[in-house]
Amino acid sequence: MAGCIFCAIVTGEAPAHVIYADDDAVAFLDRRPSALGHTLVAPRRHVEHLWDGDAEDVVAVARAVHATAALLHDRLQPDGLTMRQNTGAASGQDVFHLHVHLVPRWHGDGHIGWPTRPDDLPDLAEVQARLTR
Ligand SMILES: [Zn+2]
């Protein structure tokens, strides 16, 4: 898609530090890493959001995520890894080409975990009903 930086990266038109690539997806180092080895995994096909496209787009990313996570584990030997996918500006997505963040983690690295709101807990049965009716 014209004007999409990730489309330019996956086709090789824009520079990036690619660490894994296959027929359907490319993994490259984040230009503003939050940790050593912070990597973005994007499908070659332009898909804006997780809920766009079809399941095969997600499968393509998942396969590359699996291979890239193994690579990061093997070469950097982190204590853990955080996988994050932001869909929509409300979630923090700032490049509108589907991608997954892989952030190697080490004990004591100071990264903040998942936010919780103990004073605003939802009724889980109500949420389940809303999602399954
Ligand atoms: Zn794109």
Side-chain angles (χ1 to χ4, degrees):
M1 182 177 151
C4 174
I5 184 61
F6 284 5
C7 280
I9 287 172
V10 301
T11 59
E13 295 168 31
H17 295 89
V18 173
I19 63 168
Y20 172 84
D22 61 29
D23 290 345
D24 303 312
V26 176
F28 49 95
L29 299 178
D30 193 307
R31 291 178 183 170
R32 293 173 293 162
S34 64
L36 175 68
H38 181 171
T39 300
L40 306 179
V41 181
R44 289 189 183 274
R45 192 169 93 87
H46 181 86
V47 176
E48 196 166 317
H49 299 107
L50 183 61
W51 46 57
D52 298 333
D54 55 38
E56 292 308 311
D57 296 309
V58 178
V59 169
V61 172
R63 289 184 189 283
V65 161
H66 182 255
T68 304
L71 175 67
L72 292 168
H73 181 254
D74 180 56
R75 302 295 173 85
L76 301 181
Q77 300 181 339
D79 298 321
L81 185 139
T82 295
M83 181 174 79
R84 183 169 178 163
Q85 200 287 315
N86 298 321
T87 286
S91 75
Q93 185 177 13
D94 57 0
V95 175
F96 292 89
H97 178 129
L98 176 66
H99 59 284
V100 169
H101 292 255
L102 295 178
V103 182
R105 302 289 305 273
W106 285 269
H107 292 296
D109 63 15
H111 278 256
I112 297 171
W114 218 253
T116 56
R117 296 179 184 155
D119 297 332
D120 189 22
L121 294 176
D123 179 333
L124 296 182
E126 185 178 306
V127 175
Q128 179 190 32
R130 187 172 174 187
L131 292 169
T132 57
R133 273 191 208 144

